[in-house]
Amino acid sequence: MAITPFRHLAVAATLLIVSTTATPNKRDGTFANPSAQVRPFFRYWLPDGSVDPTVVASDIRSAAEVGAGGIEFLPYYGYGGAIGGNPPGSDWVTYGFGSAPLQHLLQVALEAAKENSVLVDIALGPNQGQGVPASPDADGIQWDLVPFVQRLPVNQPSERIPGWGEGELVACILASVDSKTNVSMTGDSFPLDSSPPQSSYLELVLDEASLQDVTHKVSSDGILAIQSSGSSCNPYVFSFYQKRTLHKALEVESNRTDTILANGSFVVDHFSKEGAKTVIDYWNNHILTEDIRQLLGDVGNYGWEDSMEFTSNISWTPKLPDAFYNKFGYSLAKYLPLVMFGQNNIMAQPSNPGLMKAVFKNKQTSDKYINDYRSVLADGCPECESLQWKDKIDGYRQFAGAAYLAGRKVVSNEMGAVETRTYSLTIPELLQRVNKAFAGGVNRVMLHGQPYSGDYYGTTWPGSTPFQYLFAGMHSPKQPSWIHGFDEAMGYISRAQFILRQGIPKFDVAFVNKDSATDPNWATKYGRDDLVDAGYIYTYLSPDNLELPEASVDNSILASQGPGIKAIVVTHDANITVSAIQRLKGYAAKGLPIILSGGSAQYYPISNDGGVDAFKTGLQELANSKGVHTTASGDVAKALASHGASPRVGVQTNGTWYITWREDKEAQVDYAFIFSDGSNSQGEITTTTDKVPHLFDAWTGQRQPVVQYNRRAGVLVIPLTLKANQTAILAFSAHSLDGIYTPSVHIKSAPNSVLGYNLDYESGAVAKLAHTVNPSADKFVMSDNSTRTVPDTSVIPSSFLIRDWTLTVERWEAPANMLDASTIASIRNTTHHLPSLLSWTEIPALVNASGIGYYSSQFIWHPNGQNQIGAYITFSSILYAVQVFVNYEKVAPIDPTAGTADIGPYLRDGENELLVVVPTTMWNYLRSIFPEITESGTPPLLSSSTSPMNFPGIVPNGWVGEVYIRPYMSFALGI
Ligand SMILES: *[C@@H]1O[C@H](CO)[C@@H](O)[C@H](O)[C@H]1NC(C)=O
Ligand SMILES: *[C@@H]1O[C@H](CO)[C@@H](O)[C@H](O)[C@H]1NC(C)=O
Ligand SMILES: *[C@@H]1O[C@H](CO)[C@@H](O)[C@H](O)[C@H]1NC(C)=O
């Protein structure tokens, strides 16, 4: 997790080794069994280099067993000692990043990965990878701009400029202030820092015309030689200095002088070659033994050689501010250099403005500064984060658009760091977040995270819990679900990612807008429903992205070999540059439809761009260009459709469906990944294709042709029903798929009694029909216009409920010795009789219980000799996960959103034995013993009086709702 408000944690994102060397063939494995490359990874938190290597090896084996593709090896060191401090007994200088024991652990981890056929990413440094141990006067450690502001003392023009002596002077600016406001900050940031959270900042509104660069007038002893002009009222002087921040990702107290580790670990300069070189040198000298280099060649997720090249190819010019200006191209920064970054590091998130910010008076130039993350992301290794993005689909779009335009294949997401939900986040909640990320363009999740499972200093059972119990999730065998449902969820994620890595992602529409550092972080930009309702797939690009070589128009399509954008939308509240207007004019001339929605866009100034007049003229010319259409706001979908930009997938539904679309030209297969957000939904999707539609089930790995659909005037129409948060994968293939029976005709219309279809070579297509009270003479109508008359469905037994459960609870509890952190759990069983299902919190003996519930019941089944009678089992609610056994045979994995499975093959005449295995989260139990828990020598921050978060209450556990058996009759369709 990247928690940014740590003052001293400059760049909190874990920096990864990037750039792939995957072999092209079979790189991804198969849909049923995806390769390690495409499976989700765990961030693996190694407490420090002193831990037991055999436990590290077994943790990696567990990760592989549960279906992870690998781990991100993160030497966490108690988050640099920032939360809770380094525990008594720990010894960074001996066991730090680069020490011999750490080298040994890394080697063991790589060997374990090799043995278990999984891959390893490695953070570039300790804590979150922000840097490495270094000398405090190394040029490659982090630099910062430090701003100061002061009213110009009218009668003392020779006073030293504010902050003089703070560092090397970069700029000194004079400006008149028209007004000032104290703005209070209502943050949603996590004040984990020991310093009090910033509660307000001073906002100065400047008169743009009054800005004067007076840097050259500052004498060598800091005297600003100017005369008060008299005309400018309220003059302020702004001064900016550059200096090393000496920020450390890891603080250490040591008086040793014989090792560089005694300095702790510095944050390096992420904008300079020197920064990269500092990291490279450290790795060469302290990490990369010959054995480790070789192992990295085998199991390094991204080729090591490449990564070195990548790292040394960073061409950012050294030091601020030039690096910053060159990189971001902000000229305004010249006048307002980074004021809003205040005393923080330049990479501080935009949601944390510094001590003050200044804005221009003129609305058109108001707070249009600096930090366009998207242009950076197009360059680097994009990984976003579910926590900072607040699981917003629109936020992910803003992140992913540039990456895909720039030809990136993988958009990664640090998934599942949810506040106050450690040990209580459920699988359906995690998957909902995963699916939202997928809907926004993410195609790799890196799960947050897997803790080291062994003993550690001052740490009781259930063991090392990074971030002091503040954040989910702790994925390890200490979760009862680990091999009782979590593994199946990992299978789902892996298969969905497999699909989301095939071919190239396509988007119908891109919004163009330049973000400002002061804009809310990843806020929803386009809040209307019309595009989603119509099926449009859209993304965001910044003016800088339009300068990428990939951003050209052919055949009226932007980046036709890439995202294939069919139209561009510029909304009236979008902030765009003069050069973006010129780009858009060029696109329009080449036939790309451009929609100006709701009025004129806003001016985003850049140096030497001709100013607001050039902007206005340019915008007017753009509006008058052929192929540029001006519409009222809110009419975007309509305008797109009427100007020839139709969605690749049309949607008609009573719910909300998010579509992602990928085209694999080589295999001649297109994929639609559909996510039903929030509600049960029904409808159809339409697309223009001759290809044959298939339904892929990411829970089971099963693939089968869609049996029932229509083709109307060249348009394929597929009916679809999805539960809340359920997803569906449709694959449109030009060929029949290997080993899959594909009938030559399909069903155009079918009776309502159809529950589903099965296909195989032996029986062809088989419909499953439900009991109907008054069956009408319904028919199936085939695409060749032949019909099939439905048999009498009133003879099919009707649905029935299962009641009267015997519940055996395997209670997972603390070992007698709380300091035994490596024990999974101490287990004891209790048995309960339940006439109907209830949350454990409603059963007095189980209120504080966590573990695994084994629910068994029996039912009588008399198919009356009709072997075509089978049944589905349906759960009205799944809190966490279920695994179903019928007559001791395991039923296929059940999607918790759908809650249903075919148990027909497992039924027998007479009494049938049903066993439902239901894991719970550990929270209710842990909560009940919380005072006994310590983490790295202290009570968890979550329960302390200084906790930034409320201590969470008890959560529903176990199994609630009803379970139905729904008989069906198999009806062979003869196709
Ligand atoms: C370092 O030396 C100072 C001065 O002798 C001493 O006060 C301090 O405790 C020492 N720190 C450590 C971590 O040994
Ligand atoms: C454009 O900039 C203004 C001022 O910074 C901001 O309030 C607005 O949200 C921005 N618009 C978009 C679409 O980001
Ligand atoms: C959509 O229609 C289906 C079938 O009638 C219904 O079950 C579902 O609740 C509806 N969804 C919404 C969001 O109205």
Side-chain angles (χ1 to χ4, degrees), residues 96-141:
F97 188 78
S99 65
L102 192 280
Q103 274 177 8
H104 177 62
L105 277 174
L106 177 56
Q107 178 169 339
V108 166
L110 293 166
E111 283 164 353
K114 190 173 175 183
E115 205 173 299
N116 292 285
S117 308
V118 293
L119 303 169
V120 180
D121 279 330
I122 309 168
L124 290 179
N127 179 346
Q128 310 285 293
Q130 305 97 317
V132 290
S135 151
D137 43 41
D139 224 15
I141 63 173

Side-chain angles (χ1 to χ4, degrees), residues 892-914:
I894 294 178
D895 174 352
T897 60
T900 190
D902 185 356
I903 57 169
Y906 312 105
L907 293 171
R908 62 187 180 209
D909 200 5
E911 188 167 88
N912 285 258
E913 184 69 34
L914 180 63

